Amino acid sequence: CMAASVLLIVGNGSTQKKLLSKVVEMAGEIELGTGSGQCGPVIDVQSLEKIRKYVNHAESKCGAQILVDGRKKSKSSSGSSDEEAGSWIGPTIIQHMSPDDDAMKEEIFGPVLSVYHVKSWAEAIQLENANPFGNAACIYTSNGGSAEWFTRRFRASMLGVNIGIPVPREPFSFGGLYGTKSKYGDVDITGDGAMEFFSNRIKVTSKWILPEECKLSTNGSDNGPVDHASFAGRM
């Protein structure tokens, strides 16, 4: 649920083309499988068909270009081994001509990356913030000023700078932004919010009266029973 689904590239110069070429190259080298660095299966056949539908629609109805076509590797099998069984589709990269394509705005939940070129920062942030979801957003840059500009304007609750999956570490919690489709009810699903939801905070207020015989004498010797409650500041 935290995998980046849309890549907005500001500009279309040589640097941007080099970036996209590298992304395409790396995605094309990913093999299907359950090992480290491999692309695993999707959850079921229905999910596989849904993913194919988005890719097919982008290509046939929206004029998008399929830069890496995972459909060529897609299969559904009930084989005897884990490597054979399951619903599989390879990494897919779609270069869109319009930001209104379904794959640009809806959650596919598959190994699909939508790419779109924008002309300016303002256009990039407008498209990002127009999305109804608000789980995460990130920016890749070597310029601190650029990073600050975007992180101040992103409409999402978990933000990354040169981090593609910006899930925060403890004690900060995982959760979407209020007012988006990534947030339901109150509090986050981890951290203090989860503790509040699944448990009760029990508060105990106590007062102990120190018996006269438990006080220390002026010369430091015990004047009575051991002070187990440590009223005198001693263990």
Side-chain angles (χ1 to χ4, degrees):
C1 65
M2 286 294 290
S5 59
V6 176
L7 171 62
L8 297 178
I9 302 177
V10 182
N12 199 18
S14 60
T15 300
Q16 290 85 345
K17 291 178 180 178
K18 183 178 179 181
L19 166 66
L20 181 56
S21 177
K22 188 64 176 178
V23 172
V24 168
E25 176 189 344
M26 295 179 69
E29 293 175 350
I30 298 175
E31 298 293 334
L32 299 184
T34 57
S36 176
Q38 294 182 319
C39 182
V42 296
I43 191 169
D44 54 27
V45 175
Q46 289 75 21
S47 179
L48 175 60
E49 293 305 317
K50 174 185 174 183
I51 296 167
R52 284 174 175 165
K53 180 180 177 181
Y54 273 104
V55 180
N56 293 339
H57 182 269
E59 182 180 37
S60 62
K61 302 295 184 181
C62 304
Q65 182 181 2
I66 311 302
L67 303 181
V68 179
D69 195 348
R71 294 172 298 180
K72 297 177 180 179
K73 299 180 179 180
S74 66
K75 61 180 180 178
S76 181
S77 171
S78 56
S80 58
S81 69
D82 291 340
E83 292 297 331
E84 296 175 351
S87 300
W88 302 81
I89 186 168
T92 300
I93 298 181
I94 308 172
Q95 185 165 18
H96 295 269
M97 302 302 293
S98 170
D100 295 323
D101 294 353
D102 290 348
M104 286 281 294
K105 301 183 297 182
E106 300 174 8
E107 290 188 321
I108 301 177
F109 274 96
V112 179
L113 178 66
S114 291
V115 178
Y116 184 72
H117 287 272
V118 296
K119 296 179 181 179
S120 65
W121 290 6
E123 184 182 3
I125 205 70
Q126 188 276 326
L127 288 177
E128 167 64 26
N129 292 351
N131 192 286
F133 301 100
N135 228 12
C138 62
I139 175 175
Y140 282 87
T141 180
S142 59
N143 187 300
S146 301
E148 182 177 10
W149 192 92
F150 277 94
T151 54
R152 284 179 176 270
R153 291 166 173 81
F154 277 140
R155 182 174 173 264
S157 64
M158 294 177 285
L159 308 181
V161 177
N162 300 321
I163 297 292
I165 304 179
V167 177
R169 296 299 306 270
E170 303 79 4
F172 304 103
S173 56
F174 177 104
L177 189 71
Y178 284 107
T180 71
K181 290 185 177 180
S182 298
K183 186 77 168 184
Y184 294 93
D186 197 15
V187 305
D188 289 334
I189 60 174
T190 60
D192 285 349
M195 294 296 293
E196 291 283 358
F197 184 85
F198 289 107
S199 64
N200 293 302
R201 292 197 178 192
I202 307 300
K203 284 74 66 176
V204 178
T205 303
S206 301
K207 181 178 180 180
W208 294 74
I209 304 300
L210 180 62
E212 192 68 26
E213 63 270 19
C214 289
K215 295 181 180 179
L216 295 179
S217 63
T218 55
N219 61 10
S221 62
D222 287 333
N223 202 23
V226 178
D227 181 11
H228 291 290
S230 193
F231 289 110
R234 291 177 36 172
M235 296 301 293

